[in-house]
Amino acid sequence: MKEKIMNNFLIMENVAVLEENREWTYSQMGQVVSQFIKYYRGNHLKKIMIVMKQGFYSYSAIIAAYLAGIIFCPVNSETPFERLKYCQNIFNPDLIVFDNDSDSINEYKNSVEVMQILESKVNVKDYAQEENDIAYVIFTSGSTGKPKGIAIKRSAFEKFLLWSISHYKVNENDRWAQYSNIGFDLSLCDIFTAISSGATLVPFATPKAKMYPALLIKKYSITFWHSVPSVLDLMDITNHLSSEYLSTVKTYTFCGETLYSIQLKKIFDLNSKCKVYNTYGPTETTIFCMGILLDSFNYQEYCEDSVSIGTPFEGWQMYVDRKNNQNIGELIICGDNIGAGYLNDMNNKSFFLKEMENGKLIRCYRTGDFVKVISGKLYFAGRKDSQIKHMGFRIDLSEIEACLRNYGCYSSKVIYYKKKLVAFVVCNDFDENKIRDYLKLYLPYYYIPSKIIHKGGFPFNKNGKVDVKKLYEEIENCFS
């Protein structure tokens, strides 16, 4: 993998990164990456935290850390101060790399701006860097409300990249939309797959690019799109989910949220020749570990209300922990490439060893995700906390959300608050009574929300997912 990246830096003059105000070639990236490596090794660094915006310099800093064999921890540059400080204390980096215009840099010891690195003079002739077994650490939201740093093995990361490069098959003629911030592990798939394949990365880094992504897709003739599915809702709300804006996209890949069948239908109605990967995988399983390739001919076979999450990739195994012979249960992922554990909780019970039929012990991870088995296919059925008991009945909040989408809502989110079901919807011509009447046709009475709240659009967190915490705050204000 390293040789593939370095060869591209040496022989390609294609554009590596296309920013809104500048183009950067592969040879230019190679020079900057080399300067980063020289700095990392010259200062004998073993762990670095990269707190930067999406773009050429953050990509270069990350790639250099990988090539230098040191552990890197990418963090969204907009991370609140206290959260960033907490992550720093857990990860304990030798150095924090900031953007040059960062307001936070003076608050931290052992921190440096990018240009200081690029202008530095260091000698690495007498220093050989040993490669660390861990490639990177990503912080995820913990169930306690505190971020949890998951350490991912270098061998697991490289195995994932071999899969992504061989399946996505992008080349120097492709333009890959880099939508996720660098603190979200989907960005690592973007950066390394595109650069290893000679494609052009296009960062969607500004607030406008995040809210109106179709404008840049059209402007830069994006051919490969990768994001959480809810970004499609943003395009739909603004009337940008159309061939006028998306005609150049050949491949879509989604992860991180439920992909609904109605979203998939809209994509294929726009372009019957495109392909869609629906993938699944918690951060703990190295970006994603399951998926399915869909086209306009086969996709209906894999659609219920949502789209099937597919089957495990090579080297992974899974089983569903079901009780009482139900068709729903918690998904357990098994394989040698599961994360090494949480930095602040290495004995977390979510990770365990299971003895296989051949007597071999295999590492497993309890995902906390429920899946349904329908006609032999797996469908995401929400988190454990979306399986609630209401009015004496066990129900799944995602079923209500899917029904609201089928009604015609662009987006929907249902929250259980103080024994009440509250639905948030984004739709045209909002009429709460009509929505209730529709839900009653398809759902039992105990599934019907106590309150349906109309939104012009959903708040999103830094990873592009619906910000549920803000919705809870809105509910508290409604019922206070």
Side-chain angles (χ1 to χ4, degrees), residues 29-262:
M29 177 174 265
Q31 293 170 11
V32 172
V33 166
S34 295
Q35 187 67 19
F36 272 113
I37 292 174
K38 190 184 294 185
Y39 186 91
Y40 296 160
R41 289 183 171 174
N43 288 281
H44 299 200
L45 303 177
K46 296 187 180 299
K47 296 191 296 182
I48 64 168
M49 181 174 276
I50 300 169
V51 186
M52 300 174 68
K53 303 184 207 60
Q54 297 158 245
F56 174 75
Y57 286 117
S58 62
Y59 302 157
S60 298
I62 289 169
I63 291 170
Y66 165 72
L67 294 176
I70 65 177
I71 305 173
F72 63 94
C73 176
V75 179
N76 182 7
S77 62
E78 297 180 8
T79 299
F81 176 80
E82 290 299 329
R83 182 181 176 92
L84 180 57
K85 195 170 183 179
Y86 178 86
C87 294
Q88 178 196 10
N89 290 336
I90 296 296
F91 182 56
N92 192 26
D94 300 321
L95 183 75
I96 304 177
V97 183
F98 282 97
D99 285 312
N100 296 319
D101 58 354
S102 172
D103 295 328
S104 304
I105 188 167
N106 294 326
E107 303 290 338
Y108 294 91
K109 296 179 180 178
N110 301 324
S111 61
V112 65
E113 293 178 334
V114 168
M115 293 313 297
Q116 289 177 257
I117 295 177
L118 299 182
E119 293 169 356
S120 66
K121 304 295 182 183
V122 290
N123 187 345
V124 294
K125 288 182 179 178
D126 300 322
Y127 181 68
Q129 181 87 22
E130 292 184 7
E131 188 173 274
N132 202 290
D133 292 337
I134 301 299
Y136 64 87
V137 169
I138 288 281
F139 278 89
T140 65
S141 298
S143 57
T144 62
K146 295 289 187 180
K148 298 168 76 173
I150 179 68
I152 299 299
K153 293 180 285 188
R154 182 170 294 270
S155 58
F157 182 48
E158 292 179 346
K159 188 169 184 178
F160 169 83
L161 292 177
L162 289 173
W163 178 90
S164 65
I165 291 167
S166 64
H167 282 75
Y168 290 140
K169 294 182 173 63
V170 296
N171 57 46
E172 61 269 20
N173 298 315
D174 284 303
R175 289 182 170 180
W176 186 306
Q178 206 286 291
Y179 185 86
S180 302
N181 76 73
I182 68 165
F184 192 18
D185 60 347
L186 295 189
S187 68
L188 299 180
C189 172
D190 301 339
I191 296 165
F192 283 89
T193 308
I195 296 302
S196 297
S197 304
T200 298
L201 274 172
V202 181
F204 283 54
T206 66
K208 182 178 179 181
K210 296 289 191 188
M211 288 301 298
Y212 304 98
L215 298 181
L216 279 193
I217 292 175
K218 179 181 179 180
K219 180 179 179 179
Y220 293 123
S221 300
I222 298 297
T223 60
F224 193 100
W225 180 262
H226 184 205
S227 73
V228 294
S230 56
V231 180
L232 291 174
D233 300 333
L234 288 176
M235 298 183 199
D236 206 1
I237 293 166
T238 55
N239 296 318
H240 289 165
L241 195 63
S242 68
S243 56
E244 177 186 353
Y245 294 94
L246 307 180
S247 61
T248 59
V249 182
K250 299 185 298 184
T251 304
Y252 297 84
T253 184
F254 298 106
C255 191
E257 293 175 333
T258 303
L259 177 63
Y260 291 97
S261 54
I262 193 167

Side-chain angles (χ1 to χ4, degrees), residues 386-397:
S386 75
Q387 309 289 318
I388 57 115
K389 198 161 188 179
H390 179 55
M391 299 174 67
F393 298 93
R394 177 68 59 182
I395 66 174
D396 177 11
L397 301 183

Side-chain angles (χ1 to χ4, degrees), residues 463-478:
N463 290 338
K465 299 181 181 181
V466 173
D467 194 330
V468 177
K469 289 183 179 179
K470 288 188 178 179
L471 295 181
Y472 267 110
E473 291 172 4
E474 188 169 335
I475 293 174
E476 289 173 354
N477 292 332
C478 287

Side-chain angles (χ1 to χ4, degrees), residues 399-452:
E399 288 188 37
I400 308 172
E401 294 169 359
C403 197
L404 287 165
R405 284 178 176 270
N406 290 337
Y407 168 79
C409 298
Y410 294 115
S411 306
S412 60
K413 192 67 182 178
V414 180
I415 291 174
Y416 193 56
Y417 177 81
K418 293 185 177 180
K419 298 186 178 181
K420 296 180 186 294
L421 290 170
V422 180
F424 291 88
V425 298
V426 179
C427 63
N428 292 328
D429 302 320
F430 174 76
D431 187 316
E432 185 170 358
N433 290 329
K434 285 185 178 179
I435 295 175
R436 287 185 182 283
D437 289 342
Y438 179 85
L439 295 179
K440 289 175 183 177
L441 293 174
Y442 297 95
L443 298 172
Y445 71 91
Y446 46 87
Y447 273 69
I448 309 303
S450 301
K451 191 174 186 64
I452 302 175

